Amino acid sequence: MTGNFMRNILDKAMIAGAVLGIIISGFSAFAQDCEKKPDEVLRLHILANSDSNEDQQLKYDLRDYILINYGEVFSDCTGFEDSVKIAKLYKNDIEQAATEFVPPKGHSYEVKCEVGKTYFTTRKYENYTLPAGEYTAVRLLIGNAEGKNWWCVMFPPLCLPAAGEFFT
């Protein structure tokens, strides 16, 4: 009985070790994949002036405007580097268009456009999870930029097809 008992414990320990090894190797592959994601993604990030209902609505209106007017420019990108080059090329144009968009909506906020690295927490986007990390982003800062933010993925173009379907 002692021999069977020891064999049973040994079998369970070996199974637990194998399961633990599989889990650790799975996490290792996931971690490596996560490390690659920030280098492959260009985000659009819009920060509202404040959390007031009016400022939040302005953020969404500006989002729609940007996606309608600049979505096609980004949807033609052939790769991440190309999308960043396009973002930098259009940065001033996007900033000016966004700044001109705001006054007819009843606000006098200035809008700043930045293209650069920004830290994001882990977020889910439809069927994708983007891990926390520094991502390159086109950022629109409305007024004081102290309100809730909105973001999507410009490249690969995850938010652009939805915008095109919604507004056509």
Side-chain angles (χ1 to χ4, degrees):
M1 185 153 187
T2 304
N4 284 338
F5 179 75
M6 290 302 289
R7 173 113 174 129
N8 194 12
I9 289 176
L10 185 58
D11 287 345
K12 287 179 182 178
M14 288 174 50
I15 291 170
V19 168
L20 184 60
I22 291 169
I23 290 171
I24 289 172
S25 67
F27 280 129
S28 175
F30 176 73
Q32 287 175 348
D33 188 43
C34 289
E35 289 175 7
K36 293 178 187 175
K37 291 289 184 207
D39 294 334
E40 302 168 2
V41 173
L42 175 67
R43 289 181 166 194
L44 173 62
H45 188 216
I46 303 174
L47 286 86
N49 178 64
S50 74
D51 286 338
S52 75
N53 289 339
E54 286 182 6
D55 286 348
Q56 289 298 305
Q57 186 58 53
L58 177 63
K59 172 186 71 180
Y60 292 122
D61 291 345
L62 182 59
R63 168 204 63 190
D64 296 345
Y65 176 77
I66 295 299
L67 290 175
I68 291 167
N69 290 286
Y70 294 94
E72 193 171 314
V73 170
F74 286 96
S75 67
D76 292 337
C77 293
T78 58
F80 171 74
E81 290 81 16
D82 187 37
S83 70
V84 173
K85 184 168 37 170
I86 293 294
K88 289 178 179 178
L89 181 66
Y90 280 88
K91 178 187 144 323
N92 292 337
D93 189 50
I94 292 170
E95 182 174 282
Q96 182 172 346
T99 297
E100 291 172 2
F101 177 82
V102 171
K105 297 291 182 181
H107 301 280
S108 59
Y109 305 136
E110 193 174 318
V111 180
K112 295 284 186 195
C113 182
E114 304 172 343
V115 178
K117 293 278 189 179
T118 301
Y119 181 81
F120 290 90
T121 59
T122 299
R123 296 286 181 116
K124 290 189 182 238
Y125 182 82
E126 293 180 12
N127 297 327
Y128 302 93
T129 299
L130 292 175
E134 283 203 347
Y135 289 80
T136 303
V138 175
R139 300 182 75 216
L140 293 170
L141 309 170
I142 305 170
N144 295 323
E146 295 175 351
K148 292 178 186 162
N149 69 83
W150 177 89
W151 67 270
C152 73
V153 176
M154 296 291 282
F155 186 86
L158 299 179
C159 63
L160 300 175
E165 290 171 16
F166 184 72
F167 297 109
T168 57

